Amino acid sequence: MSPLVTIALRFSVLSLIAVGGVTSILPEVHRVSVDVHHWLTDAEFTQMFAIAQASPGPNMLIVALIGFQVAGLPGALVAAGAICLPSCTLAYLVERLWQRFRGTPLRRAVETGLAPITVGLMLATGWLVARGAPGTGWAAYAVPALTAALVLATRTNPLWLLAAGGVLGLLGLV
């Protein structure tokens, strides 16, 4: 099968289950890109994640970077379209229907149930990114864990913590 078709099929399906955005499906994107198709190594995936997060714009940029790695500019365009179009179309259709259930117990139950699932998927993403960081040691896991704890427990802006992590990295402490 053509790499472009594979990219389109894989990312279109993932798009439909991306509750909370691309970050929530990154563990599966990692599995598909690194373990199944061997398009990237763990380190390359982590580097692409860092580039996508540092770049202005949506979190889905990592998918475009993966597509570019696999098939150049056509791969990036196909990957970006595949991750955006199905979920955007589904979100539009569901939102129209979802408004009919405003204020009902069913709607509150679904929203309450999806919140911890999204948080768990995002934590799994943090674990994968830390695992692929260079020199994976205790610090690679401690820094994101401490950052998450500080963000949850205080009103600290995550950008300050990101800057602190960058300084620790420059000093060779992480």
Side-chain angles (χ1 to χ4, degrees), residues 98 105-115:
W98 198 236
L106 171 67
R107 181 171 169 160
R108 282 191 298 276
V110 169
E111 289 172 350
T112 301
L114 287 176

Side-chain angles (χ1 to χ4, degrees), residues 111-136:
E111 289 172 350
T112 301
L114 287 176
I117 291 170
T118 300
V119 170
L121 289 169
M122 292 173 82
L123 288 172
T125 296
W127 177 265
L128 280 173
V129 170
R131 189 179 76 185
T136 305

Side-chain angles (χ1 to χ4, degrees), residues 48-94:
M48 286 186 182
F49 178 78
I51 291 168
Q53 293 301 303
S55 302
N59 287 337
M60 59 71 59
L61 289 176
I62 188 170
V63 174
L65 290 172
I66 293 168
F68 188 82
Q69 174 76 17
V70 174
L73 184 58
L77 295 172
V78 167
I83 206 71
C84 290
L85 291 176
S87 60
C88 288
T89 303
L90 181 63
Y92 174 76
L93 296 173
V94 168

Side-chain angles (χ1 to χ4, degrees), residues 30-69:
H30 176 273
R31 189 186 74 76
V32 166
S33 303
V34 175
D35 300 332
V36 175
H37 293 289
H38 308 289
W39 292 330
L40 308 168
T41 64
D42 269 336
E44 289 170 330
F45 185 87
T46 299
Q47 290 166 0
M48 286 186 182
F49 178 78
I51 291 168
Q53 293 301 303
S55 302
N59 287 337
M60 59 71 59
L61 289 176
I62 188 170
V63 174
L65 290 172
I66 293 168
F68 188 82
Q69 174 76 17

